[in-house]
Amino acid sequence: GSNTSPSKIHYATIPDPKGTALVQALIAFDGIPDTQILFGRQNINLDNERFVGTSDFRQTPKTYDAVSLVNRSLPNVELFYAYLDQVNTIYQGNQSALFPQRANTSHLINISATI
C-alpha cells in the first residue's frame, strides 16, 4: 500500500534506495598481538554510533573506504585509528541519488575504556 492511504497517513516515509552496492571487501591483518589492521571497504561503528556508524536499519548500510587499526593491548582499553578516503552513504548503488559516495579524506581517532 501507499504511504498516503488513510490508515498510514501518520507514518513517516522512509525511502530506501533501489540498486545494488558492494558493502564490504577488505584485507585483514592480525599478525601483531592484540592488533587488527583492515584495508578496504568496511563497516566502522564507534561507541554508540551517534557520529560514526553504519545505520544498519537501512537496506544499504553506510560503509567506509579506509585503512583502520584497532589495538586492545591495554586492559579494558581499545585504541582505534582510521584513515578514510571515501564514505559510501546509504544511497550507494543508486545512480540517481545525490552524493551516493562522498570523498572524505579524514582521520578518525577513538579511545574507549570500560571500567
Side-chain angles (χ1 to χ4, degrees):
S2 173
N3 187 4
T4 58
S5 67
S7 65
K8 297 189 181 207
I9 199 159
H10 299 292
Y11 295 101
T13 301
I14 302 175
D16 279 313
K18 291 180 174 44
T20 304
L22 179 66
V23 175
Q24 195 170 18
L26 56 89
I27 296 171
F29 175 74
D30 58 3
I32 302 169
D34 302 314
T35 303
Q36 184 177 46
I37 300 170
L38 302 175
F39 175 78
R41 183 159 296 177
Q42 57 192 281
N43 299 330
I44 298 176
N45 294 308
L46 298 180
D47 298 333
N48 64 3
E49 301 178 34
R50 179 179 174 115
F51 300 108
V52 178
T54 56
S55 302
D56 283 335
F57 65 93
R58 297 294 201 167
Q59 285 180 325
T60 309
K62 185 184 338 172
T63 59
Y64 303 85
D65 294 348
V67 175
S68 65
L69 181 142
V70 177
N71 180 280
R72 295 181 183 96
S73 59
L74 298 172
N76 303 320
V77 176
E78 180 179 285
L79 305 171
F80 175 86
Y81 169 78
Y83 174 79
L84 302 182
D85 180 56
Q86 178 169 280
V87 176
N88 306 294
T89 70
I90 59 171
Y91 300 108
Q92 62 182 311
N94 183 355
Q95 299 308 317
S96 65
L98 187 60
F99 302 119
Q101 292 86 18
R102 294 181 183 182
N104 187 346
T105 305
S106 301
H107 301 271
L108 292 176
I109 299 171
N110 190 61
I111 300 171
S112 57
T114 55
I115 298 173

